[in-house]
Amino acid sequence: MFFKQPNGIIFAIKLETEIVQKSIYKNNFRFMKILICISKTPDTTSKIAFTDNNSKFSTDGVQWIINPYDEWYALVRAIEIKEADPSTILHLINVGGVESEPIIRKALALGGEEAIRVNSDVADSYFVASQIAQIAKEGNYDLIFTGKETIDYNGSSIGGMIAECLDIPFISHAVKFDIVNGNAVVVREIEGGEEIDSAPFPLVVSCQKGMAEQRIPNMKGIMGSRTKPLKVVEPVEISALTSVVSFDLPPAKAGVKLISADHPEELVRLLNEEAKAI
Amino acid sequence: MSVLIFIDIAEGKIKKASYEAASYGAAIAQQLGASANAIVLGKSDELLSLGNYGISKVYNLSNESLHHFDAQVFTKLIADANETIGADIFVFSNTTTGKSIAPRLSVRLKAGLVSGAVALPDTSNGFVVKKSVFSGKAFAHIAINSANKIIALNPNSFSVVKTEGVAEIIDLNLSIPAGKVAVQSVNKIIGDVPLSEADIVVSGGRGLKGPENWGIVTDLAKLLGAATACSRPVSDIHWRPHHEHVGQTGLAIAPNLYIAIGISGAIQHLAGVNRSKTIVVINKDPEAPFFKAADYGIVGDAFEVVPKMIDAIKKLKESV
């Protein structure tokens, strides 16, 4: 096994397997252990419809994808960290039923050594975060990446919840992430600007556009993903705090009112008098 | 039973989204016959103004070190303060700050969280909050089943209600735990309206042909006191900074008025703007999909239409 010291010198050492399993960052040696949270969401172009008296999302004809924030930004940035330092360990985690496995395999085709699936339906964000926190605690991860939100529930809450469960820092809306002198340096988006934070490991970071560029898995990755370990674990007992009562769709727009290009002043009049928007 | 509203401040100023949260929290309190109080972490001389938004008591911890934000520290302080305040409903605005604290507080207090709320809770049968889902394409009604409850309200979805009222300011005496996150710098685009809080947004797309042509967008925005935004391709090719990108993978906004100039309206773009109250589309191509999602549209050359609009708005402003 190769280790890298903070000063960048790499040396070889023989270790017992159980020690290798643990992150030993705290002993000033490090190989970074990263857990990337992967969620299954409907493709962005999916038709949004509901069944069972509007209490369930209609999955008819829905194409499932890895939540784009999890894939394009969290996972790809983690892969880049591993490319810069091959001793890094990347694990993926998903809370979901067996139907999540195709998107987990797709994520493994991009990168990561193994995946863990917590075998359960998604009850609410508190339930999901508690499951992930349990695995994170057992696996002693240095860094947990999530997307900034899922594109279906738009909760933005899993990362913060995991961090609180583990009592570690959480930095949200990261657009840039680097490791400098053993600390995380994160540029995060805030309203009307950016903030640069630094924090020690372990920590949780939620990722968004800017962190990395979207990648397409190559054939080697796809072939390799089939044999990577996908561990299935049963959930710990957690009671959800919220439940979905129903869904509804916004009222349809009345249709566009077209105004002649010769008379933009008419648009201005309508915006002022009819829409009362200016 | 009482409602506690987290008020976010920047350089001592209360943010607009926090006034909305205050009004919203006060309305919930009224609905339940409870009191609405606020908590402010940091120094501000605007605290008394919260009385005009239905707030009875403002709990304040005025300390310089809170100028720098650390979600872990803020969460602990709110939880510690609440041991004496005793609130069971907590309201945040669903901004980057709210999104960092509310989930942590949810775990700490075992309080069910609904983030992205767009309306007052329905308390006729349980406690059900309407929230935006599927990037604005639908709404979900979520029941919070725990005794403690947290709501993070989407900006621009609840109108500020001004009342006559006086707030009592109560200084909190709490020890501030050492934070692990060090804020090295904050870089704000001074003077501009933050996109997420803007009432009016003027947005440009590839139809504008190049960054040198953005004058008509910024002129119109300046005239309307609007924020500027752009489509994904425009930020990808660096015509505009990426923080202006609205859409599925950019910022999701819900202004009162969204004016899209030279944007075709791909479904990913619509996902970020479809909660806007009024949408205006100006595009040369009559087949642009954006017209289907618009309230008003002009099929025409933006370089001719927008300057004429600017003249008309100037005349309108002079006549008022």
Side-chain angles (χ1 to χ4, degrees):
Chain A
M1 180 56 68
F2 291 94
F3 286 100
K4 194 171 169 188
Q5 287 184 306
N7 61 13
I9 296 168
I10 294 171
F11 63 99
I13 187 170
K14 199 178 174 187
L15 277 175
E16 298 298 329
T17 325
E18 62 269 26
I19 304 174
V20 175
Q21 289 301 319
K22 286 186 183 169
S23 163
I24 50 169
Y25 171 76
K26 290 187 184 85
N27 301 340
N28 259 345
F29 302 103
R30 48 176 283 256
F31 50 79
M32 178 77 67
K33 248 188 117 176
I34 307 178
L35 185 65
I36 304 125
C37 307
I38 299 289
S39 186
K40 178 182 80 121
T41 57
D43 183 71
T44 49
T45 55
S46 299
K47 185 178 177 339
I48 306 301
F50 305 102
T51 60
D52 290 17
N53 218 2
N54 282 334
S55 67
K56 286 200 176 86
F57 174 62
S58 167
T59 55
D60 275 0
V62 167
Q63 181 93 27
W64 296 100
I65 59 169
I66 310 168
N67 180 43
Y69 296 109
D70 304 347
E71 177 187 348
W72 301 353
Y73 310 122
L75 175 57
V76 176
R77 184 68 192 112
I79 293 168
E80 288 174 353
I81 293 168
K82 187 179 171 71
E83 284 166 352
D85 180 354
S87 68
T88 309
I89 294 173
L90 304 187
H91 289 172
L92 314 180
I93 185 163
N94 168 267
V95 179
V98 69
E99 65 280 3
S100 285
E101 294 201 353
I103 67 112
I104 299 174
R105 290 283 174 207
K106 193 189 162 202
L108 284 170
L110 283 162
E113 286 85 67
E114 65 172 59
I116 302 150
R117 177 171 71 81
V118 179
N119 185 32
S120 172
D121 286 340
V122 170
D124 73 347
S125 48
Y126 175 73
F127 175 89
V128 171
S130 301
Q131 300 301 334
I132 295 173
Q134 181 65 28
I135 301 288
K137 206 178 287 173
E138 287 164 8
N140 213 3
Y141 292 91
D142 302 293
L143 178 60
I144 301 168
F145 269 166
T146 70
K148 77 159 181 179
E149 64 183 55
T150 57
I151 61 166
D152 50 5
Y153 186 75
N154 306 124
S156 306
S157 41
I158 298 290
M161 286 181 174
I162 297 168
E164 188 66 23
C165 288
L166 301 172
D167 197 22
I168 58 176
F170 169 53
I171 299 177
S172 74
H173 300 88
V175 296
K176 199 166 179 292
F177 177 95
D178 287 298
I179 300 166
V180 180
N181 299 326
N183 279 313
V185 175
V186 185
V187 181
R188 71 184 284 255
E189 192 168 288
I190 54 171
E191 279 71 24
E194 286 180 345
E195 179 182 286
I196 304 174
D197 293 348
S198 70
F201 295 102
L203 87 155
V204 182
V205 176
S206 81
C207 309
Q208 68 173 46
K209 196 183 176 197
M211 283 286 272
E213 295 294 331
Q214 184 181 1
R215 288 186 183 187
I216 295 162
N218 58 27
M219 194 44 79
K220 188 170 163 249
I222 294 166
M223 299 303 282
S225 73
R226 294 180 189 166
T227 51
K228 285 181 181 175
L230 197 171
K231 289 184 192 160
V232 179
V233 300
E234 291 306 314
V236 288
E237 207 169 299
I238 295 286
S239 301
L241 303 172
T242 63
S243 54
V244 174
V245 177
S246 64
F247 292 99
D248 57 43
L249 294 168
K253 287 250 177 193
V256 61
K257 203 175 259 187
L258 286 176
I259 296 114
S260 156
D262 298 330
H263 298 288
E265 71 280 0
E266 174 62 7
L267 171 64
V268 171
R269 188 189 68 79
L270 287 167
L271 289 177
N272 179 241
E273 292 174 14
E274 190 178 80
K276 302 200 187 317
I278 60 173
Chain B
M1 186 184 284
S2 74
V3 181
L4 186 65
I5 299 116
F6 175 79
I7 300 295
D8 194 13
I9 52 172
E11 282 106 41
K13 299 257 175 282
I14 294 175
K15 295 184 181 175
K16 180 190 155 215
S18 285
Y19 282 122
E20 293 172 359
S23 295
Y24 178 84
I28 295 176
Q30 196 172 27
Q31 199 172 315
L32 298 171
S35 64
N37 305 313
I39 184 163
V40 183
L41 300 177
K43 199 170 154 50
S44 169
D45 46 25
E46 296 184 341
L47 301 182
L48 282 172
S49 71
L50 288 164
N52 296 327
Y53 299 85
I55 299 298
S56 311
K57 290 175 186 160
V58 180
Y59 295 93
N60 181 224
L61 184 58
S62 175
N63 187 299
E64 288 293 323
S65 74
L66 297 168
H67 180 61
H68 277 158
F69 176 66
D70 181 335
Q72 200 173 8
V73 172
F74 276 47
T75 303
K76 187 166 187 305
L77 289 172
I78 295 167
D80 288 352
N82 198 53
E83 295 203 350
T84 47
I85 299 169
D88 47 9
I89 299 171
F90 301 83
V91 175
F92 290 84
S93 53
N94 202 30
T95 57
T96 53
T97 306
K99 286 172 182 177
S100 302
I101 308 173
R104 299 197 74 120
L105 195 65
S106 166
V107 168
R108 202 170 186 99
L109 302 178
K110 293 271 180 294
L113 164 66
V114 174
S115 59
V118 294
L120 285 170
D122 178 355
T123 50
S124 60
N125 182 15
F127 194 97
V128 179
V129 187
K130 183 178 180 179
K131 79 171 292 261
S132 173
V133 288
F134 294 102
S135 308
K137 283 176 270 187
F139 299 106
H141 300 263
I142 309 285
I144 305 182
N145 306 317
S146 50
N148 289 325
K149 300 167 173 63
I150 306 180
I151 305 173
L153 174 72
N154 263 350
N156 286 340
S157 48
F158 191 82
S159 300
V160 163
V161 185
K162 270 202 144 186
T163 56
E164 291 286 317
V166 180
E168 180 193 353
I169 296 172
I170 299 168
D171 285 319
L172 290 167
N173 186 11
L174 294 171
S175 62
I176 300 171
K180 288 182 184 152
V181 176
V183 178
Q184 296 182 340
S185 68
V186 177
N187 178 17
K188 281 209 176 176
I189 301 109
I190 305 293
D192 282 358
V193 186
L195 194 45
S196 55
E197 295 183 15
D199 263 334
I200 304 178
V201 174
V202 183
S203 190
R206 251 185 319 190
L208 288 171
K209 297 192 183 83
E212 67 279 8
N213 298 328
W214 237 258
I216 54 171
V217 173
T218 48
D219 286 354
L220 180 58
K222 207 170 166 191
L223 188 59
L224 293 171
T228 52
C230 68
S231 65
R232 176 170 176 182
V234 163
S235 79
D236 279 356
I237 51 184
H238 305 296
W239 288 1
R240 298 294 294 175
H242 82 89
H243 64 77
E244 280 198 2
H245 164 208
V246 291
Q248 180 86 66
T249 52
L251 199 65
I253 54 171
N256 207 20
L257 174 62
Y258 183 72
I259 303 176
I261 304 169
I263 301 175
S264 65
I267 195 161
Q268 289 83 355
H269 184 77
L270 296 182
V273 301
N274 55 10
R275 286 190 296 113
S276 310
K277 200 164 165 219
T278 301
I279 295 178
V280 174
V281 171
I282 298 163
N283 203 301
K284 240 174 21 187
D285 176 10
E287 302 297 320
F290 217 152
F291 283 115
K292 289 202 179 79
D295 299 283
Y296 301 98
I298 291 184
V299 180
D301 183 348
F303 298 110
E304 288 172 18
V305 171
V306 177
K308 283 186 194 164
M309 267 183 83
I310 289 173
D311 286 343
I313 294 166
K314 278 184 186 159
K315 269 187 207 148
L316 176 78
K317 296 219 170 215
E318 281 162 15
S319 71
V320 176

